[in-house]
Every structure is written in C-alpha cells, then in structure tokens.
Amino acid sequence: MPESLSLSVIIPVYNEEATVAELVERVAAIPVVTEIVAVNDASRDGSAKILERLLAEGRIHRLINQPVNRGKGAAIRTGIAAATGDVIVVQDADLEYDPAELPRLLAPIVAGKADAVFGSRFLGGDHRVLYFWHSVGNRCLTLLSNMLTNINLTDMETCYKMVRAPLMKSLVLTSDRFGFEPEITARLSQADARIYEIAISYSGRTYAEGKKITWRDGLAAFWHIVRFNLTKPARPTS
C-alpha cells in the first residue's frame, strides 16, 4: 500500500450559516485532506454566500449548488460523483464531528487493513451528554442493522464513514434523506467490504442549536434497514 492516499471530504450543507465557515477551516487544516467538496442543498439562509466566499478564497475545491432541496443522501451522492480522491469521507457541517479525527480513520485504509472505516460515538470517546432516548434509538437501529448484515458495528448511524473511492463509487445508493446511513452500511456489507471501527469524540447539538434529525427519521430508519438489507438493487444499465 502507498504511504499516503488522497482524501476527499464531502460536506453536505443545508442552513448551516452559523458553523460552516469554522467547519471548513477545521477540515482545511488537516494535512491528510487533499480535496473539499461542498454541496449546498438549496439552503435558505446565508450558507450559499459563505460557501461562495470560501470557494473564492480557495478554502474549498469544489462547490455544487443543488437547484432544489433534495435531502442529505442526495447531496452526498452528488458529492461522491464529484470527488476525485483515493478515499472519500462525509463530514457534517455542524461541528458535531471533529475533523481532527480524520487521520485516525484513514490509518487502517492506508495500512491496507480496511476498505471502509466507521467512526463510532459509542466506543468510549469524549462526548457531550445529551438526549438519552436518542442514544437508545441509535443502539436499537444499530442492533437491527447488525442482525441483518451479520456484522458487529457499535454505531451504524455515525456520519463518519470513510470508504475507498472505487468502492464508494461502485455502490448503488438511492436514499435522498437520512436513510443514507443504513443504506450505505447494507451495501458495504453486501460488497463484503472490510470494515473497521475507530472511537471518536462527539459534540452533539440540541434542536435549539440546529439539530435536524427527528423521531420521524428514526422510525423511517427501521424501514430503511429492512428494505436495504433484504433487497439488492439492480445496477443501472448504460
């Protein structure tokens, strides 16, 4: 394996004017990051202007503006298609996940041990204490996912999923909203990918601070887990 691999960071953005500039600065400061692809999902606040400024300043390498709001999963798919690095990772724009953890996630891939690395919030990393029932819900979703994939993850719903680019681009992904997490987990399992987990810190937000995922998304995730694990999509013909 090479001593280093180019890393593309995809940042889906929807109404994150309060945090996106700081987040991009943090990502750009990480030496292993070689490309930042921001996807503005038709934000209604000042996020678009901030991203245009960051692009002009060379802080981000590619900015894609979705004409209408299509959801996080759709924004990530757009970013995956545009990314040019050897490895791809998704980074939320809300400062809940610390980009300083990215070199640790990349290490098993560089070492040739993993095709994908998940950053787990439940392996003992530092974390902000917040919603009890969210943690219960996350563990239940992970348990159901594990039962159907027959892999032993501790945090299926984590944002930090780092994947070799050829593998990531080969996966058939269709979910437009938060169903992206169970879908990519199912597809990686079906592809027999070698998956590692790394403990990460987590600084969750409250709803007053801008958290977007709701109990409806949690209920929908149960259906997504079953649906994506029991079906294998037909690859589109060219």
Side-chain angles (χ1 to χ4, degrees):
M1 290 297 297
E3 293 184 358
S4 63
L5 295 169
S6 57
L7 176 63
S8 294
V9 180
I10 299 170
I11 306 176
V13 180
Y14 179 65
N15 293 348
E16 298 289 1
E17 64 178 0
T19 57
V20 67
E22 181 180 349
L23 183 278
V24 168
E25 290 296 329
R26 291 190 188 183
V27 173
I30 305 303
V32 299
V33 173
T34 55
E35 180 182 50
I36 300 175
V37 179
V39 182
N40 172 36
D41 194 23
S43 295
R44 294 177 296 175
D45 63 357
S47 296
K49 290 184 178 178
I50 294 171
L51 290 169
E52 293 287 356
R53 172 176 60 80
L54 293 170
L55 179 66
E57 294 172 353
R59 299 294 186 180
I60 58 179
H61 303 91
R62 183 88 183 267
L63 172 59
I64 303 169
N65 289 298
Q66 303 275 63
V68 295
N69 178 259
R70 297 176 57 203
K72 181 180 179 180
I76 292 172
R77 291 201 309 274
T78 299
I80 291 171
T84 63
D86 299 314
V87 181
I88 298 172
V89 68
V90 178
Q91 170 75 60
D92 284 348
D94 54 16
L95 301 179
E96 291 190 336
Y97 293 81
D98 185 356
E101 316 260 23
L102 293 177
R104 295 177 51 246
L105 271 67
L106 184 61
I109 295 178
V110 172
K113 298 178 180 179
D115 302 310
V117 178
F118 286 33
S120 174
R121 298 164 292 177
F122 302 119
L123 282 176
D126 297 342
H127 64 277
R128 180 182 178 183
V129 176
L130 275 176
Y131 303 116
F132 169 74
W133 288 111
H134 277 204
S135 66
V136 172
N138 273 315
R139 293 175 191 276
C140 289
L141 292 171
T142 298
L143 175 62
L144 178 60
S145 176
N146 287 347
M147 291 170 64
L148 295 175
T149 59
N150 195 31
I151 57 179
N152 62 337
L153 293 171
T154 64
D155 191 3
M156 178 275 296
E157 286 284 353
T158 180
C159 161
Y160 267 171
K161 295 179 173 71
M162 184 179 289
V163 185
R164 294 182 186 277
L167 173 58
M168 180 77 97
K169 290 175 179 285
S170 75
L171 301 176
V172 178
L173 302 171
T174 60
S175 180
D176 285 341
R177 283 182 51 78
F178 294 105
F180 173 83
E181 309 300 352
E183 181 177 25
I184 190 173
T185 303
R187 299 303 176 232
L188 287 170
S189 173
Q190 291 162 356
D192 293 323
R194 298 170 300 165
I195 303 174
Y196 264 58
E197 274 193 315
I198 300 290
I200 60 168
S201 60
Y202 181 66
S203 180
R205 293 191 297 181
T206 65
Y207 287 102
E209 293 167 338
K211 193 169 188 69
K212 298 180 178 69
I213 196 166
T214 70
W215 63 269
R216 293 180 180 86
D217 295 299
L219 289 179
F222 283 99
W223 163 240
H224 292 316
I225 291 169
V226 173
R227 178 166 68 104
F228 292 131
N229 277 284
L230 297 185
T231 62
K232 292 185 179 181
R235 190 164 296 279
T237 56
S238 55

